[in-house]
Amino acid sequence: MSITPESLMKWVESLDLDCEEACRASVSRAYYAAYHDCLDFHNALPAPGASRTGCGVHENLIYQLQNPSPESKKDPELSKRSKTRAYLLRVIKPFRVQADYSLAINFDKCDADNMTAKALETMKT
């Protein structure tokens, strides 16, 4: 069975954020829902954005979205959407990293709600 970014986000929204572990899981999965949605968006563009070497796949996708291809730039709205998605994904990525790797940093319902909202905004752009 496979899932979609939308189904992953529905799961995130169904979480009971009554403990820090659930809040961390929410932030992490909301980011990944947005990431995969952005990846699908990028793959549907007329041509890939400029690629960057020496970085991970997440940073490369953000860079590609920020630097759309000349073919994509012919459509100003499409180019704007790509750049906006890059910006929003870059905003939420550090929170995902903290949620997954920085156990000494506290996460609460407010953090989870804010990052879920940002991920949803990314997916609707």
Side-chain angles (χ1 to χ4, degrees), residues 23-102:
C23 293
R24 287 174 176 276
S26 173
V27 170
S28 181
R29 297 304 96 184
Y31 167 80
Y32 277 106
Y35 169 82
H36 284 286
D37 190 72
C38 286
L39 183 60
D40 291 346
F41 173 86
H42 183 258
N43 288 339
L45 291 174
S51 192
R52 187 170 146 203
T53 59
C55 65
V57 295
H58 293 251
E59 280 302 314
N60 190 48
L61 175 62
I62 292 169
Y63 186 82
Q64 288 179 302
L65 291 167
Q66 183 63 44
N67 299 281
S69 69
E71 293 88 345
S72 295
K73 288 180 181 177
K74 290 177 185 175
D75 181 342
E77 184 59 32
L78 189 61
S79 181
K80 180 182 175 185
R81 287 180 63 208
S82 186
K83 290 177 181 184
T84 301
R85 282 172 167 259
Y87 169 78
L88 291 168
L89 201 58
R90 186 170 305 284
V91 166
I92 60 178
K93 184 177 180 246
F95 291 93
R96 192 280 303 172
V97 171
Q98 288 179 345
D100 286 346
Y101 300 115
S102 299

Side-chain angles (χ1 to χ4, degrees), residues 7 9-10 18 44 51 57 61 66 77 98 106-107 113 117:
S7 65
M9 187 56 78
K10 282 185 189 269
D18 61 347
S51 192
V57 295
L61 175 62
Q66 183 63 44
E77 184 59 32
Q98 288 179 345
N106 294 327
F107 274 83
D113 288 343

